[in-house]
């Protein structure tokens, strides 16, 4: 009698790799997680060493304690992994929440044309996407750009280490800004306009063919959002409201993202806020270190809805939906002497909920008519937060038996690829089970349309002057073209603070670069020439980086 298949899903996230082992009935056999750090070498930057992803993947797979018959992958979208001809990593990966590429976004929209860009890719150029990162490397790190032979997205680098294949799925490729989303293939128009070598791009296949998807598409499948009707609501580091579309239809103003779904022949629209559970994590570290989440929930529950006038703007790392503004910033508004920690906690929970409401309203404007929300992510462990979100969205929220939506969806994709399930609908029917339903408040309408409008109006009045000042400071700090047309200020700044930039790792390591014959191309630092594909060891002992 043949052994029952074991389906494993790996989610390569921002804070760690989650591994989930499933039976063909959707029962969780084992789960494991391994973390890694996030590097922010300059304000607004976010990077990780891809070797950390691979190391964490191996650790998580070992800790599962099972022998998988199928492995599927999901992961953080938009990140740029630059590889040389030997598939070695040339520099730290630039992540989805990195905000350094505002000038490159403007360049892309000028080269391609905004309307044409939205028509082809379903999106406008945003700082988190992959294509602006490539242009940034070309402009600021030519000694790295020169040696690029391949580029991959984060989870596909892990695939490379597992299988030796250079592949990407249509769902994840949609977030690169190099993809023709309607035709589900690389866009020759965009690639040519940006002068990106086509040979750098991996082969594209459907998610069900290669068992892979970006984290949001995988999470939606993992909670049963494989068709129009229910929406996926994610309370992860970022916050997402996600709806399946029966056909490709981009929002003319690109206020929401439109990507390929991981179900062949379907697309999805989603609104993304960059700091959802990330806002609560920041708040806990800054204002309540050591406090348990249950303790914070209890204090917030004792405060009436509306937090007695305290408002929180959850734009801690810029924002996408609906503002598309990398310079947006977070803050508390309306503080008085009578307010305590419970008021601040509740304001954070409500502020994130209002941000998700912005996305839902834009989806409704596209014709989405949600029946229910299927919720996932770490924030879904808080019942109070779910009740607040349900009330602000005006939707019942359903939790599923497994909390790890993205890893669960990746495991389902592995089962579809290997024939355990005929298609996505059969996988969802067999494995996704609703555990609980959280209804919106109805007894006193504490979070109705009137408070939503008041929240936006008060925040607008409070932050317009401060935001304008922040933008002015940011533009001067970046040495943007309009303040520094010839780039001389930027060149001078780079020479003054070179030890802070990721280009000069030899300075951090306390050594000097070897002299180079005239005309020879510069070599990138060996610190980021990782182990070859197929090796299981690390790339060597990591030396501690010196602080600038």
């Amino acid at each position: 009698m043949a052994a029952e298949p074991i389906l494993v899903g790996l989610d390569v996230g921002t804070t760690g790799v989650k591994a989930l082992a499933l039976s063909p009935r959707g029962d969780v056999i084992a789960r494991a997680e391994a973390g890694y750090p996030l590097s922010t070498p300059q304000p607004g930057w976010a990077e990780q060493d891809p070797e950390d992803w691979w190391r964490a993947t191996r650790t998580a797979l070992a800790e599962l304690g099972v022998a998988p018959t199928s492995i599927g992958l999901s992961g953080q979208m938009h990140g740029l992994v630059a590889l040389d001809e030997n598939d070695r990593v040339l520099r730290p990966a630039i992540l989805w929440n990195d905000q350094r590429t505002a000038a490159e976004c403007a360049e892309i929209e000028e080269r391609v044309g905004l309307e044409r860009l939205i028509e082809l890719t379903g999106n406008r150029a945003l700082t988190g996407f992959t294509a602006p990162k490539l242009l940034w490397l070309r402009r600021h790190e030519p000694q790295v750009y020169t040696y690029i032979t391949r580029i991959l997205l984060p989870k596909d680098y892990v695939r490379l280490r597992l299988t030796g294949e250079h592949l990407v799925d249509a769902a994840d490729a949609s977030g690169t800004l190099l993809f023709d989303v309607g035709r589900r293939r690389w866009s020759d128009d965009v690639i040519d306009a940006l002068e990106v070598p086509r040979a750098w791009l991996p082969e594209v296949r459907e998610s069900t063919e290669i068992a892979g998807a970006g984290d949001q598409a995988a999470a939606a499948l993992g909670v049963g959002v494989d068709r129009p009707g229910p929406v996926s609501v994610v309370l992860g580091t970022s916050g997402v409201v996600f709806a399946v579309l029966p056909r490709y239809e981009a929002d003319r103003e690109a206020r929401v993202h439109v990507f390929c779904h991981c179900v062949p022949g379907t697309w999805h629209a989603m609104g993304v806020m960059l700091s959802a559970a990330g806002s609560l994590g920041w708040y806990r570290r800054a204002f309540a270190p050591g406090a348990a989440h249950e303790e914070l929930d209890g204090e917030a529950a004792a405060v009436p809805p509306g937090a007695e006038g305290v408002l929180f703007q959850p734009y801690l790392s810029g924002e996408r939906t609906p503002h598309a503004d990398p310079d947006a910033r977070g803050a508390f508004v309306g503080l008085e002497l009578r307010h305590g920690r419970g008021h601040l906690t509740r304001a954070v929970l409500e502020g994130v909920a209002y941000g998700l409401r912005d996305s839902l309203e834009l989806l409704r404007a596209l014709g989405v008519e949600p029946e229910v929300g299927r919720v996932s992510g770490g924030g879904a462990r808080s019942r109070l937060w779910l009740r607040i979100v349900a009330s602000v969205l005006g939707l019942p929220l359903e939790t599923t038996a497994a909390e790890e939506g993205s890893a669960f969806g990746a495991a389902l994709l592995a089962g579809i690829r290997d024939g355990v399930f005929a298609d996505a609908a059969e996988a969802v029917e067999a494995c996704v089970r609703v555990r609980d339903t959280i209804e919106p408040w109805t007894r006193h309408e504490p979070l109705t349309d009137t408070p939503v409008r008041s929240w936006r109006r008060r925040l607008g009045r409070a932050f317009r002057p401060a935001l304008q000042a922040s933008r002015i400071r940011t533009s001067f700090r970046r040495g943007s073209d309009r303040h520094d047309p010839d780039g001389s200020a930027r060149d001078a700044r780079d020479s003054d603070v070179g030890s802070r930039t990721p280009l000069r790792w030899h300075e951090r390591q306390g050594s000097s670069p070897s002299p180079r014959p005239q005309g020879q191309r510069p070599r990138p630092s060996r610190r980021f020439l990782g182990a070859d594909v197929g090796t299981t060891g690390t790339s060597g002992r990591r030396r501690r980086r010196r602080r600038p």
Side-chain angles (χ1 to χ4, degrees):
M1 184 175 181
E4 185 175 66
I6 297 177
L7 312 177
V8 168
L10 295 172
D11 178 32
V12 184
T14 310
T15 58
V17 171
K18 294 179 181 177
L20 197 67
L22 303 180
S23 76
R25 297 173 302 280
D27 300 319
V28 176
I29 299 170
R31 48 170 54 93
E33 184 172 356
Y36 36 70
L38 174 72
S39 173
T40 55
Q42 293 196 36
W45 291 22
E47 301 181 344
Q48 281 175 336
D49 183 353
E51 186 68 20
D52 288 341
W53 305 334
W54 174 235
R55 190 177 298 112
T57 296
R58 293 170 53 214
T59 299
L61 286 173
E63 291 181 356
L64 277 180
V66 300
T69 56
S70 303
I71 295 179
L73 292 165
S74 74
Q76 52 176 301
M77 297 179 67
H78 313 303
L80 174 63
V81 182
L83 304 175
D84 71 4
E85 59 187 2
N86 296 313
D87 286 333
R88 296 178 298 183
V89 177
L90 294 172
R91 72 169 321 283
I94 306 177
L95 304 188
W96 61 273
N97 50 351
D98 190 283
Q99 300 292 331
R100 75 184 74 177
T101 60
E104 288 70 29
C105 288
E107 178 183 350
I108 290 172
E109 293 185 352
E110 181 177 353
R111 283 186 177 221
V112 181
L114 179 57
E115 289 187 10
R116 182 62 172 160
L117 184 68
I118 294 173
E119 177 188 350
L120 290 170
T121 69
N123 298 274
R124 67 178 306 156
L126 298 175
T127 53
F129 283 18
T130 316
K133 298 176 175 67
L134 267 176
L135 270 61
W136 187 92
L137 282 181
R138 185 161 64 196
R139 176 176 296 169
H140 296 277
E141 298 186 8
Q143 61 267 55
V144 171
Y145 189 87
T146 297
Y147 279 90
I148 296 176
T149 302
R150 298 270 193 175
I151 62 172
L152 289 175
L153 298 172
K155 73 162 190 338
D156 297 312
Y157 176 74
V158 173
R159 181 197 310 282
L160 175 68
R161 299 300 296 270
L162 285 169
T163 70
E165 297 177 298
H166 299 89
L167 296 173
V168 67
D169 54 277
D172 213 358
S174 299
T176 62
L177 212 66
L178 298 168
F179 200 66
D180 187 330
V181 176
R183 295 178 175 85
R184 305 174 87 92
R185 66 190 187 193
W186 295 117
S187 171
D188 290 331
D189 289 357
V190 176
I191 291 169
D192 291 344
L194 303 185
E195 302 177 77
V196 173
R198 179 66 177 265
W200 291 2
L201 304 176
E203 180 184 347
V204 180
R205 297 185 188 173
E206 289 293 340
S207 294
T208 51
E209 295 179 51
I210 60 172
D215 54 358
Q216 299 307 326
L221 180 65
V223 296
V225 180
D226 61 325
R227 65 198 183 283
V231 296
S232 170
V233 179
V234 180
L235 280 171
T237 302
S238 59
V240 176
V241 182
F242 174 117
V244 177
L245 303 176
R247 67 189 65 84
Y248 175 67
E249 185 176 354
D251 176 29
R252 291 183 179 181
E253 300 177 43
R255 296 167 297 177
V256 295
H257 305 315
V258 178
F259 295 149
C260 298
H261 194 13
C262 62
V263 179
T266 64
W267 290 259
H268 71 260
M270 68 178 180
V272 177
M273 58 184 303
L274 295 179
S275 298
S279 290
L280 185 61
W282 162 81
Y283 169 77
R284 181 167 173 256
R285 291 190 302 272
F287 296 99
H293 286 290
E294 294 78 10
E295 179 183 355
L296 294 177
D297 267 11
E299 294 173 355
V303 175
E308 294 185 330
V310 182
L311 304 176
F312 175 68
Q313 180 165 285
Y315 308 141
L316 299 179
S317 54
E319 190 53 301
R320 286 199 194 170
T321 307
H323 308 295
D325 188 348
D327 295 327
R329 292 295 177 262
F332 287 100
V333 178
L335 292 172
E336 300 178 23
L337 289 173
R338 63 193 176 97
H339 292 139
R341 191 170 75 177
H343 294 84
L344 297 181
T345 305
R346 181 149 198 138
V348 171
L349 303 182
E350 292 181 356
V352 170
Y354 286 130
L356 294 172
R357 168 71 176 260
D358 285 335
S359 294
L360 181 61
E361 289 184 357
L362 291 174
L363 294 180
R364 283 178 167 144
L366 290 179
V368 173
E369 298 180 358
E371 304 164 353
V372 66
R374 295 277 179 87
V375 65
S376 62
R381 298 189 186 103
S382 167
R383 191 170 183 85
L384 172 65
W385 205 356
L386 293 184
R387 195 72 181 273
I388 290 171
V389 171
S391 301
V392 171
L393 298 184
L395 281 177
L397 296 180
E398 295 177 343
T399 61
T400 55
E403 296 178 349
E404 302 91 344
S406 295
F408 198 96
L412 297 187
L413 288 171
I416 297 168
R417 179 198 60 195
D418 293 343
V420 177
F421 311 112
D423 54 25
E426 182 177 301
V428 168
E429 179 68 24
C431 297
V432 178
R433 291 186 285 275
V434 173
R435 181 179 61 192
D436 196 9
T437 301
I438 295 89
E439 297 287 345
W441 274 302
T442 57
R443 62 184 184 274
H444 46 51
E445 299 184 358
L447 299 170
T448 57
D449 287 345
T450 299
V452 170
R453 289 193 296 269
S454 172
W455 179 81
R456 292 172 179 157
R457 185 170 59 251
R458 291 177 62 188
L459 286 179
R461 284 200 305 265
F463 288 105
R464 194 171 292 113
L467 185 56
Q468 181 64 26
S470 173
R471 286 172 175 159
I472 292 172
R473 288 194 300 270
T474 301
S475 65
F476 276 100
R477 184 173 65 245
R478 288 175 177 165
S480 62
D481 291 342
R482 66 176 179 271
H483 295 298
D484 181 25
D486 61 357
S488 58
R490 182 174 63 245
D491 294 341
R493 184 168 62 252
D494 287 347
S495 65
D496 290 340
V497 296
S499 60
R500 293 187 299 166
T501 70
L503 305 183
R504 301 188 170 98
W505 288 96
H506 61 270
E507 294 178 10
R508 292 192 175 194
Q509 303 298 341
S511 60
S512 300
S514 301
R516 180 176 73 246
Q518 187 173 4
Q520 181 177 321
R521 295 187 301 180
R523 289 292 297 178
S525 168
R526 293 182 61 84
R527 165 66 185 84
F528 282 98
L529 297 181
D532 292 335
V533 172
T535 62
T536 57
T538 66
S539 57
R541 180 176 298 176
R542 179 178 301 177
R543 288 176 288 185
R544 195 169 185 174
R545 299 176 187 164
R546 298 177 180 175
R547 292 184 177 273

